[in-house]
Each structure stands twice: as structure tokens, then as C-alpha cells.
Amino acid sequence: MSMRDKFPLQSSERMQTATILALFFVGLFLIQGVFLPYWPVWLKAQGLSAGEIGILLSLPNWVRVFADPLIAQRADHTGNRKTPMMWLAGIYVLTVLAFPVSSNFWWLAGLSVVIGFTLSPLLPLGTTITVHECKTRDLDYGRVRLWGSLAFIFASYGAGWVLDGTSTTWIVWMLFIAGIVNFAITTRMPDPQTDRSLRSGSSLVYLLRKPVFLIYLGCIGFAQGSHGTYYSFASVHWETVGYSHEMIGTFWSIGVIAEIALFAVAGKFVRGRHPGILFALGAAAGIVRWIVLGSSDAFWMIVLVQPLHAMTFGITHLAAVSFIARAIPQQLATSAQSLMATLSMGVFLGSSIWASGPLYEHFGSHAYYAMAGLSGIALVFAFWLMQSWRGEDKTFCD
């Protein structure tokens, strides 16, 4: 019996739910589409060094190490995820407005901490709701998620076009406008009240005591960590070697277009594959991508390897979501999503971004070679996961 037969919902209700979930990713990735390519450019315009920029960019990732698990565990215990999302989205909007007040490093560092506390938890909270609704209403997660990637393209390319005709001061205002859109959409999110946590103790400690879950975290952690130099210094480097802001936006867009194509067609492929195989594909692509970007600034070389973003980020993201959907019961899902996001985008990516500051300062684009090394480690963990987890549904129900 299909999910659609088990849950006979009207197609209009399914379409409405799919639209709201897609818009959630649109709102969040409008922010990311401006922040990732151009926030380092704004910080550079404030007169900060590469090392200081690396620290400021890594701070939100480090803060989420504490913020995400605390908020996620609370959400799992209460079964309520929408209310904290609205509070966090609102505080983010107000915080962005404070950045132009001063270019003092410590002022910017304090605001970066707040950004990490408010913006970072939105993705695991919203993803948990999305996965729940996709399973309940027989929706394709990849096709819902791709709208966020489309928004990223629109934001990154559009922001580049705006900046070529204005100045870097517009970066903050574009982040503010995107934040308003994100807040408005968050208020319309579904609010599924799931069962409370299966366990009286810490769901986070319970998951971290599972060896298979730790191997899984190694797969996604090193894979995401390998993007550190790309996220923090790709735009700065391309600007330094003479590319326009519009062209920089185009480079970012090429990678995300490939990611969208993957999300559009990968649903059936992902369902039938072991997550370890998907992680291995992403890690192998990372080794190739980072070696090429570290060795060449040529236009056509950049264009040729940017589509590998579909593998280095896209396929690893689908692998991560697939593992949680198959191995983790719903009552622990937000905690699992949070730990995944916290360690991969917090500890691993935060460390990589921080290290990329001095690496880029001393070695320029050759810093990408270190990222290729991280992808190699991710490949080892992917093979380890294939050996350690046989695909059991709801592995952690014991």
C-alpha cells in the first residue's frame, strides 16, 4: 500500500504543504546566497585581515556547536519546532541591522556570535519538519529542497549584479531584506506536534554513544569541512585575480544549478542506495574539485569543476538526510539533525574556515589542497560506514 493510499489527503493540501516547505528553503537560502559569497567581501571592505576574516566567518559555526543541540533537544522533548524557529528568525533580522554601526573587530565578533545562535538552528529544525511532512504526505524531499538552491542562485547572482553597480554597503541591506522574507515564511510553516522524546535522559548523549552514528558524523563532517576554503575565500580570491562580482556570482550559481539538477532527479536513486556509497561519491568528487581550484584560476577550469558542487555538497546532503530518515526514530530526529549540523557545519566546517585564514594568507589558492585532504578522509569514513551499517531501518530504536 502506498503512502498516498494510507493517508488520503486532497492533492490541494499536499500542494499547499509542499509549497510552504519549499518556501522555507527559499527564505533561508536567500540569506545564504548573499552571505556565503559576499560576507567575506564586506568584511574585507571594513579593513580586516585574512586572519580576522577567517575568525569572524568561523564564529557562527562554532556557536552552533552549543546552540543547535540545546535548541534541538528542547524541541524533541516538547514536540514543538515552529515556535523557536519564529523567535530565531526575528532576532536574526534585528542583529543584521547592527553590523554597520561599527567596524571594530570585537563588535563584529559579538554580532557574529548572535548570528550563529539565531540563524544556524533554523536549518535542522526546518529540515526535521520537512522530512516529517514529506514522509506523511508522500512528497519528494529532493524536489522540495531544490527550491532553496534556486533561491541561492537568484541571491548570489543578483547580489553580484547589484554590487557591480553600487557598493559593498548593500550587502548588509540585502541580508536584511532576505531576513524579513525568511521570517515571514517561517510563520507559515506546518507545526506537526510529534510524540515527546523516547528517552528520559539526554537524546544527544544516547546518539553519541552509538559507534555507527559517530562513523556517520565522520562522513558528513569531513565532507562538509572540505568546503572551508571555498566558503571563506573563493570570492575574495576570484576578486583578487580580477573577476567581477557578477562573474563571481555566476561561478557560485554554476555549482548550485548542478545541485538543483541532482535534487530534481535523485529521489529514486537515493532511496535505493546505501548512504555510504553516496558519501563516497561526494568525497571522491571533492578530491578532484579542490585540487583543480588549488592549481588553476583559469575561467574554463573553474567552470568545468563548479558542477561538482552537486556531488561535494548535494549528494552528501541527501546521504545525510537519508541515513537519519532510515536509522533514527522521529522522536530523536531533531536531535540527530542537530548533531549532524552542529558537528559538520559547526566543529568541522568552523575549524576548516578558521584554518583557511592563515592557510590562504600564506599559500593563496593552494589552501585548497588541504581541503582535498579532508575529502580523502571523508572517503575513508564512507567505506567504513558501508562496512559498519547494513541498512537496518530505525537502528536506534533499542
Side-chain angles (χ1 to χ4, degrees):
M1 182 180 292
S2 70
M3 293 291 289
R4 194 171 301 178
D5 293 330
K6 288 178 67 178
F7 302 96
L9 301 171
Q10 295 293 327
S11 59
S12 60
E13 290 182 89
R14 293 179 67 250
M15 181 60 70
Q16 183 179 19
T17 300
T19 300
I20 292 298
L21 296 175
L23 286 174
F24 162 72
F25 288 108
V26 168
L28 197 56
F29 282 90
L30 282 175
I31 297 173
Q32 296 288 0
V34 178
F35 188 87
L36 282 178
Y38 300 112
W39 194 240
V41 175
W42 187 85
L43 293 174
K44 180 185 175 185
Q46 309 311 301
L48 300 173
S49 69
E52 289 173 327
I53 291 172
I55 293 171
L56 292 178
L57 292 176
S58 68
L59 274 175
N61 300 80
W62 281 109
V63 170
R64 74 185 306 166
V65 173
F66 306 99
D68 284 16
L70 289 174
I71 294 171
Q73 185 163 263
R74 177 64 179 170
D76 273 345
H77 277 293
T78 63
N80 182 350
R81 292 154 181 108
K82 180 178 178 179
T83 301
M85 287 176 67
M86 291 190 296
W87 276 100
L88 294 170
I91 295 171
Y92 162 82
V93 172
L94 298 176
T95 304
V96 168
L97 287 178
F99 273 100
V101 171
S102 172
S103 59
N104 176 269
F105 173 82
W106 294 108
W107 173 258
L108 299 178
L111 294 178
S112 297
V113 168
V114 179
I115 290 293
F117 190 87
T118 57
L119 187 61
S120 297
L122 288 175
L123 185 58
L125 289 169
T127 299
T128 300
I129 292 175
T130 301
V131 171
H132 177 273
E133 293 297 300
C134 285
K135 289 171 66 176
T136 302
R137 301 172 186 266
D138 193 22
L139 301 172
D140 187 319
Y141 172 83
R143 294 185 179 181
V144 170
R145 172 62 176 76
L146 68 81
W147 290 97
S149 302
L150 281 170
F152 186 97
I153 289 176
F154 172 82
S156 61
Y157 184 81
W161 179 80
V162 169
L163 292 174
D164 277 339
T166 55
S167 69
T168 56
T169 58
W170 273 88
I171 294 173
V172 170
W173 292 110
M174 287 187 285
L175 286 172
F176 172 73
I177 294 169
I180 292 291
V181 173
N182 179 59
F183 174 77
I185 294 169
T186 300
T187 64
R188 306 297 300 168
M189 280 288 281
D191 191 17
Q193 298 295 307
T194 60
D195 293 337
R196 296 189 176 207
S197 177
L198 290 171
R199 314 188 63 78
S200 58
S202 170
S203 55
L204 302 173
V205 172
Y206 170 74
L207 289 169
L208 288 173
R209 292 175 64 184
K210 299 291 183 178
V212 170
F213 191 75
L214 295 178
I215 297 170
Y216 158 77
L217 291 176
C219 291
I220 186 64
F222 284 106
Q224 292 290 4
S226 74
H227 292 75
T229 299
Y230 177 67
Y231 287 160
S232 53
F233 290 102
S235 295
V236 170
H237 180 71
W238 288 332
E239 183 185 52
T240 300
V241 298
Y243 290 108
S244 68
H245 290 126
E246 187 174 356
M247 184 56 65
I248 292 170
T250 300
F251 288 153
W252 282 82
S253 298
I254 290 170
V256 184
I257 288 171
E259 177 188 311
I260 290 168
L262 175 77
F263 286 151
V265 302
K268 291 182 179 179
F269 176 79
V270 169
R271 265 184 229 122
R273 298 294 185 278
H274 192 293
I277 295 174
L278 305 179
F279 280 127
L281 291 172
I287 294 172
V288 174
R289 185 185 186 192
W290 308 133
I291 288 176
V292 171
L293 288 180
S295 59
S296 176
D297 298 322
F299 173 82
W300 286 111
M301 293 302 291
I302 296 172
V303 169
L304 283 174
V305 298
Q306 278 299 85
L308 289 178
H309 190 72
M311 305 302 290
T312 62
F313 174 81
I315 202 73
T316 56
H317 175 74
L318 292 178
V321 171
S322 174
F323 179 86
I324 289 178
R326 291 171 61 181
I328 308 294
Q330 180 63 30
Q331 293 91 333
L332 298 173
T334 306
S335 293
Q337 289 278 0
S338 172
L339 280 173
M340 182 267 286
T342 295
L343 294 175
S344 65
M345 304 300 287
V347 174
F348 285 88
L349 185 58
S351 299
S352 178
I353 289 174
W354 173 79
S356 291
L359 283 173
Y360 182 77
E361 202 162 30
H362 287 90
F363 303 108
S365 63
H366 293 335
Y368 280 114
Y369 295 152
M371 303 301 106
L374 295 181
S375 291
I377 298 173
L379 185 60
V380 173
F381 271 91
F383 287 125
W384 193 2
L385 184 64
M386 283 186 258
Q387 292 296 318
S388 303
W389 187 65
R390 301 299 181 182
E392 308 94 325
D393 283 346
K394 308 307 176 192
T395 303
F396 303 121
C397 280
D398 61 318

